[in-house]
């Protein structure tokens, strides 16, 4: 079990071994019999903006700690979700501190130790945390140089930092640890930092093996599912059979008498069992499922007409973007409706959470949540505890692409731990629980009408989307299943329409292309019949799927090559560069496409202000069965300054494969009462036999430019490129995801 001493937990007050904090104050007024009234203080000036997440946690010691022995610790409020973020964060710190990556220990999100950086979401870890750590590291380096200059009475510009030491021209050196012995880094960061220039880089831009991989490939403790704490016991939760089911009757006496059972926990409709051993907990859970009687209304929509059901749920309308006045003359016009079903995260490892209620009334929780601070807030509210009595520590989970069941498993463990105090409670979800109860990526409907003018360019564009916010993450007890099912339950707060630059359901709904007359409307759905929240890309995948499918249809109408058609509408040179590079590396237009094959192309800039990605791919369609298999994919990405190119390639490859799976296979199924896609046969994902033969990722590095993020850039363009390639292969457009073999076969007419 990890333990942390008080000095670590309250490191802003005093960091043992890192120096001394001297606090001075005057007692003159306190001793005076009649102290003079101080003059009214002027209103404090607004502090200057700081780079990245430094702006919200402004002190250097929130990000960097150096011990007297020279040990360097870097803190981030972001979490490792499998995207490999730990490695580039270490790289930027090592670069600016002039040390080797192996010299740095990185501590990820922990409410007792790290800055509060909210959620790890939106491909913003490098933009926010990476920028903060890089600037903090550069400022710490300069403080160390300045301290050494003072000790030696030398100009600071004559000194240099290298290998955890400051070196003078005459060869003298002093270690970082010696310099901080009389100093303390609890100083506010400055708006400007002396960052190294790209020609000085030795760590940034270098392929570095991911630091999280060794434990994963050697069977080490890599995931929360592997974590074992002293005295730990095992719990299993019995979920209701459906969303609206309520517990009518329960006789748990037989379960309480089963071998190893410590407790049966019931709180309202929340039901769980605790046992000494894991298999004992599983057996007791199955028995408890049989003993529980539920009332179960049938109030889910008809999946056969889901698009119409979603459109009918409209609660508000917002204008995402508008220019000119779309009017549709008699020129070539394309009009269509596109749909996406509910889709799952499909995490290979079902969610897990661990919690312990300690004798002093505080609670520790281990979770693979996206946000330890919002999760702490929600759990504290659920338990009626002050937030400072709850600590949430991030441990990576085996599969996460957004808001999956991680927070719920942590809340399950916390609620049980409050009722069975003194021992760590481990809650492990079962596969059917993960599939039935995780928050899904929302179903969506989009409608588009666009036309091409006499000049061969798009002149009018009208786009309507029906979606909710894609966000019901924690911060409130109602966002947790345990909070909603326990006695004295907290209802889920319905999201509200909010249009902002990052986008939610409307993410990437406004095309980056130059279109004189355009109107994009978001028909907001405040409530959804299935549980939903953030899944990789939010609304970007269905929106880009719709937009880029339309771009191909308009290119056909304009009798123009699809790549050339896109380039005619791009005014951003960086966008044009990724389009050209992907087309060039693919060999677009240079080879004849074999019979039964199709090629497709697509582009998007994620959120219209993050990473640029273009992709070309080739696929084969089996005429007799309708089966689609992508053969090769070639992509180009511009993520700004590339810190770890290998990490960018890995993330992009993974995004391409996942998006192919979404596009060809994945859809949550349900009847009028229950979720029916409860396992891998009823919710198929792409298997190894269907993986493309080759996936290429070509990186356009932009040294010295801001980090743009990578993780979600591929989702939309890949989906659209697959659809465009199917259109190219069979001569017909499919509008409804997924493009299953049944739908393709029907379109072919086989």
């Amino acid at each position: 079990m990890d333990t942390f001493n008080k000095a670590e937990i309250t490191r802003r007050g005093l960091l043992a071994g890192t120096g001394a904090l001297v606090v001075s104050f005057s007692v003159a007024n306190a001793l005076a019999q009649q102290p003079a009234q101080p003059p009214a203080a002027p209103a404090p000036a607004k502090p200057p903006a700081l780079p990245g997440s430094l702006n919200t946690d402004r002190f250097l010691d929130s990000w960097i700690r150096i011990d007297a022995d020279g040990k360097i610790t870097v803190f981030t409020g972001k979490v490792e979700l499998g995207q490999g973020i730990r490695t580039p964060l270490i790289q930027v710190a090592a670069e600016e501190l002039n040390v080797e990556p192996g010299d740095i220990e990185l501590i990820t999100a922990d409410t007792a130790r790290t800055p509060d950086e909210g959620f790890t979401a939106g491909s913003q870890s490098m933009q926010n945390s990476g920028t903060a750590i890089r600037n903090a590291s550069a400022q710490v380096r300069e403080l160390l140089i300045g301290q050494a200059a003072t000790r030696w009475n030398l100009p600071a510009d004559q000194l240099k930092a290298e290998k955890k030491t400051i070196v003078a021209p005459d060869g003298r050196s002093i270690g970082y640890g010696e310099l901080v012995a009389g100093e303390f880094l609890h100083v506010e960061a400055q708006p400007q930092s002396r960052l190294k220039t790209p020609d000085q880089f030795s760590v940034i831009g270098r392929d570095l093996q991911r630091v999280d991989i060794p434990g994963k490939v050697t069977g080490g403790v890599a995931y929360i599912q592997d974590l074992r704490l002293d005295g730990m016991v095992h719990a299993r939760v019995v979920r209701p059979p459906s969303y609206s089911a309520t517990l009518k009757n329960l006789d748990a006496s037989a379960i309480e008498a089963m071998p190893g059972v410590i407790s049966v926990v019931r709180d309202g409709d929340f039901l769980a069992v605790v046992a000494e051993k894991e298999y004992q907990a599983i057996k007791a859970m199955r028995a408890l499922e049989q003993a529980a009687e539920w009332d179960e209304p049938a109030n889910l929509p008809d999946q056969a007409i889901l698009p119409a059901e979603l459109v009918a749920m409209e609660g508000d309308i917002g204008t995402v973007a508008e220019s000119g006045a779309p009017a549709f003359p008699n020129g070539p016009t394309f009009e269509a409706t596109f749909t996406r079903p509910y889709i799952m995260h499909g995490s290979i490892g079902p969610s897990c959470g661990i919690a312990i209620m300690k004798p002093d009334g505080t609670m520790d929780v281990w979770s693979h949540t996206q946000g330890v601070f919002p999760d702490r807030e929600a759990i504290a509210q659920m338990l009626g505890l002050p937030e400072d009595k709850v600590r949430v520590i991030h441990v990576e989970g085996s599969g996460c692409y957004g808001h999956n069941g991680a927070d719920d498993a942590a809340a399950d463990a916390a609620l049980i731990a409050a009722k069975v105090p003194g021992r760590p409670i481990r809650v492990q979800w079962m596969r059917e629980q993960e599939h039935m109860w995780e928050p899904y990526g929302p179903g969506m409907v989009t409608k588009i009408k666009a036309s091409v003018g006499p000049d061969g360019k798009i002149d009018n564009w009208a786009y309507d989307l029906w979606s909710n916010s894609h966000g019901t993450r924690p911060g409130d007890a109602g966002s947790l299943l345990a909070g909603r099912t326990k006695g004295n339950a907290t209802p889920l707060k319905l999201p509200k329409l909010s249009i902002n630059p990052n986008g939610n359901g409307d993410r990437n709904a406004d095309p980056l292309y130059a279109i004189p007359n355009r109107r994009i409307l978001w028909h907001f759905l405040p409530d959804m019949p299935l549980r939903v929240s953030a899944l990789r890309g939010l609304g970007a995948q269905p929106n880009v799927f719709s937009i880029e499918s339309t771009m191909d249809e308009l290119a056909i109408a304009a009798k123009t090559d699809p790549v050339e058609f896109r380039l005619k509408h791009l005014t951003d040179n960086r966008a044009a560069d990724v389009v050209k590079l992907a087309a060039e590396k693919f060999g677009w237009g240079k080879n004849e496409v074999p019979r039964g094959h199709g090629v497709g192309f697509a582009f998007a800039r994620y959120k219209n202000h993050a990473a640029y990605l273009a992709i070309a791919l080739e696929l084969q369609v089996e005429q007799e069965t309708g089966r689609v298999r992508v053969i090769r994919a070639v992509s180009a990405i511009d993520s700004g300054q590339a810190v770890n190119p290998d990490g960018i390639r890995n993330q992009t490859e993974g995004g391409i494969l996942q998006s192919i799976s979404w596009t060809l296979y994945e859809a949550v199924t349900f009847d009028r009462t229950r979720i029916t896609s409860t396992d891998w046969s009823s919710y198929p994902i792409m298997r190894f036999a269907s993986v493309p033969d080759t996936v290429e990722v070509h990186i356009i590095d932009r040294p010295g430019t801001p980090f743009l993020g990578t993780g979600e850039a591929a989702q939309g363009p890949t989906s659209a490129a697959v659809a465009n390639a199917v259109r190219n292969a069979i001569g017909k457009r499919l509008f409804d995801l997924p493009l299953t073999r049944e739908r393709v076969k029907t379109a072919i007419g086989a």
Side-chain angles (χ1 to χ4, degrees):
M1 176 187 234
D2 289 336
T3 57
F4 307 99
N5 59 43
K6 187 175 181 181
E8 289 178 306
I9 294 174
T10 60
R11 61 191 181 84
R12 290 191 183 180
L14 177 64
L15 293 179
T18 65
L21 172 63
V22 178
V23 180
S24 61
F25 58 94
S26 171
V27 298
N29 284 341
L31 297 177
Q33 291 183 350
Q34 293 182 338
Q37 293 294 323
K46 184 178 180 180
L50 298 180
S53 293
L54 273 175
N55 201 49
T56 53
D57 210 314
R58 303 173 68 89
F59 288 86
L60 295 179
D61 65 312
S62 294
W63 305 91
I64 311 289
R65 167 175 151 180
I66 301 176
D67 292 336
D69 62 0
K71 178 185 177 183
I72 301 171
T73 307
V74 173
F75 301 88
T76 175
K78 297 299 184 181
V79 302
E80 179 62 70
L81 300 171
Q83 78 277 43
I85 195 61
R86 290 170 58 194
T87 306
L89 291 180
I90 289 172
Q91 285 181 261
V92 296
E95 185 70 76
E96 296 297 347
L97 289 169
N98 274 4
V99 300
E100 290 298 317
D103 293 327
I104 290 175
E105 178 186 7
L106 181 73
I107 303 297
T108 59
D110 178 339
T111 57
R113 306 181 75 190
T114 67
D116 179 359
E117 292 194 82
F119 295 105
T120 301
S123 300
Q124 297 181 99
S125 292
M126 288 304 297
Q127 292 172 292
N128 295 336
S129 200
T131 299
I133 289 171
R134 186 182 176 200
N135 280 270
S137 299
Q139 294 187 29
V140 167
R141 182 193 69 227
E142 294 305 307
L143 286 174
L144 293 169
I145 289 174
Q147 176 66 4
T150 299
R151 289 196 182 191
W152 291 333
N153 196 26
L154 291 172
D157 59 7
Q158 293 185 10
L159 308 182
K160 60 180 180 179
E162 61 179 29
K163 298 179 179 179
K164 300 201 292 185
T165 63
I166 305 300
V167 181
D170 59 8
R172 282 182 291 172
S173 66
I174 185 170
Y176 287 179
E178 296 175 73
L179 290 168
V180 298
E183 290 287 328
F184 188 66
L185 295 178
H186 189 61
V187 294
E188 190 165 352
Q190 298 302 304
Q192 301 296 323
S193 307
R194 291 188 61 181
L195 299 173
K196 294 168 73 172
T197 55
D199 62 297
Q200 298 173 309
F201 290 162
S202 62
V203 183
I204 289 178
R206 184 173 108 196
D207 285 343
L208 190 68
Q209 182 182 11
R210 279 174 51 169
V211 297
D212 59 310
I213 294 298
K216 295 174 179 177
V217 300
T218 60
V221 179
Y223 302 112
I224 190 171
Q225 287 88 349
D226 304 318
L227 191 60
R228 297 295 184 269
L229 306 181
D230 292 340
M232 187 174 75
V233 295
H234 298 269
R236 285 294 191 279
V237 176
V238 174
R239 293 283 177 223
S242 57
Y243 288 139
S244 301
T246 55
L247 189 55
K248 179 173 63 175
N249 189 38
L250 175 68
D251 181 359
S253 56
I255 293 90
E256 291 168 339
M258 291 178 69
V261 170
I262 296 170
S263 178
V264 172
V265 175
R266 179 181 178 181
D267 187 343
D269 290 325
F270 181 86
L271 188 59
V273 62
V274 184
E276 290 286 351
K277 297 181 179 180
E278 186 165 19
Y279 189 57
Q280 291 171 336
I282 294 172
K283 289 180 67 176
M285 177 199 70
R286 295 302 185 200
L288 200 56
E289 287 175 337
Q290 295 298 316
E293 297 180 29
W294 303 85
D295 278 327
E296 193 176 5
N299 54 9
L300 292 181
D302 184 350
Q303 187 167 20
I305 56 169
L306 180 61
E309 296 264 17
L310 292 176
V311 169
M313 294 174 188
E314 176 184 308
D316 198 359
I317 302 177
T319 301
V320 177
E322 191 170 26
S323 63
F328 291 92
N330 295 323
T333 300
F334 174 75
E335 188 170 4
T337 298
F338 299 88
T339 69
R340 183 183 85 162
Y342 293 92
I343 57 176
M344 291 184 189
H345 294 78
S347 300
I348 296 301
S351 296
C352 181
I354 302 174
I356 181 172
M357 177 65 84
K358 296 186 289 188
D360 62 0
T362 63
M363 178 172 287
D364 288 349
V365 181
W366 290 262
S367 174
H368 51 119
T369 174
Q370 283 184 284
V372 292
F373 286 90
D375 204 22
R376 179 183 68 174
E377 180 184 352
I379 289 172
Q381 181 188 349
M382 179 184 72
L383 298 178
L385 291 174
E387 284 187 34
D388 62 4
K389 297 291 185 182
V390 178
R391 176 185 181 186
V392 180
I393 306 149
H394 183 268
V395 184
E396 188 179 353
S398 51
C400 181
Y401 309 101
H403 177 199
N404 62 3
D407 302 276
D408 297 304
D412 294 341
L415 184 56
I416 297 167
K419 299 176 184 298
V420 186
R423 299 182 70 178
I425 306 291
R426 178 179 183 267
V427 171
Q428 173 67 64
W429 280 18
M430 308 298 287
R431 169 53 54 195
E432 70 272 14
Q433 293 174 336
E434 186 79 25
H435 275 218
M436 291 176 67
W437 287 97
E438 69 147 79
Y440 305 130
M444 285 181 61
V445 176
T446 65
K447 293 185 179 182
I448 192 163
K449 185 176 182 180
S451 61
V452 176
D455 60 355
K457 292 184 178 182
I458 304 169
D459 54 2
N460 294 285
W461 184 280
Y463 186 80
D464 295 77
L465 67 110
W466 283 261
S467 172
N468 87 321
S469 68
H470 292 237
T472 58
R473 290 188 181 98
D476 177 86
S479 64
L480 306 171
L481 289 176
R484 297 217 298 272
T485 55
K486 67 185 286 289
N488 193 24
T490 303
L492 175 68
K493 286 184 178 178
L494 294 181
K496 296 181 180 179
L497 175 65
S498 175
I499 296 174
N500 59 70
N502 282 328
N504 296 291
D506 63 323
R507 185 169 291 179
N508 278 100
D510 184 16
L512 196 68
Y513 303 109
I515 302 171
N517 302 296
R518 79 195 201 290
R519 185 196 70 242
I520 295 92
L521 299 180
W522 182 3
H523 303 259
F524 185 70
L525 315 180
D527 198 7
M528 293 288 262
L530 272 60
R531 188 184 186 211
V532 297
S533 194
L535 175 58
R536 197 175 190 179
L538 304 190
Q541 186 245 356
N543 286 323
V544 174
F545 165 72
S546 306
I547 290 168
E548 289 294 292
S549 295
T550 300
M551 290 297 291
D552 258 36
E553 293 298 328
L554 295 177
I556 292 169
K559 298 180 173 57
T560 306
D561 175 81
V563 172
E564 290 301 320
F565 188 72
R566 286 169 172 82
L567 290 171
K568 285 173 65 173
H569 291 85
L570 288 172
T571 59
D572 184 330
N573 290 334
R574 290 173 70 169
D577 286 346
V578 296
V579 169
K580 292 175 183 176
L581 183 60
E584 174 195 341
K585 294 297 184 181
F586 182 81
W588 185 266
K590 295 181 180 179
N591 300 304
E592 184 176 348
V593 181
R595 180 177 175 83
H597 288 227
V599 294
F601 194 93
F603 157 81
R605 184 180 186 189
Y606 185 51
K607 296 188 286 191
N608 283 3
H609 60 76
Y612 303 81
L613 186 137
I615 183 169
L617 55 80
E618 179 184 356
L619 54 74
Q620 181 181 17
V621 179
E622 292 180 357
Q623 298 292 310
E624 298 81 8
T625 67
R627 178 178 182 260
V628 175
R629 179 176 176 267
V630 177
I631 298 169
R632 66 185 182 111
V634 179
S635 65
I637 185 169
D638 175 354
S639 296
Q641 171 73 64
V643 175
N644 187 345
D646 187 54
I648 294 174
R649 286 190 289 271
N650 292 339
Q651 273 291 281
T652 306
E653 288 173 5
I656 289 169
L657 296 183
Q658 185 180 47
S659 186
I660 292 172
S661 184
W662 287 355
T663 307
L664 297 179
Y665 306 105
E666 299 186 36
V668 174
T669 58
F670 52 93
D671 57 27
R672 298 306 297 268
T673 305
R674 298 181 177 182
I675 304 298
T676 56
S677 46
T678 59
D679 53 28
W680 294 122
S681 61
S682 53
Y683 188 85
I685 61 175
M686 184 168 66
R687 305 298 176 97
F688 282 114
S690 299
V691 170
D693 296 337
T694 60
V695 177
E696 297 178 26
V697 179
H698 300 277
I699 300 168
I700 298 179
D701 191 7
R702 303 285 186 182
T705 61
F707 308 129
L708 295 182
T710 297
E712 296 161 287
Q715 306 308 112
T718 302
S719 188
V722 171
N724 289 336
V726 170
R727 166 71 162 86
N728 181 248
I730 69 174
K732 293 183 180 179
R733 171 71 57 188
L734 275 70
F735 304 96
D736 302 306
L737 293 172
L739 311 182
T740 61
R741 62 176 64 194
E742 293 80 11
R743 284 174 171 163
V744 174
K745 186 176 178 180
T746 299
I748 294 172

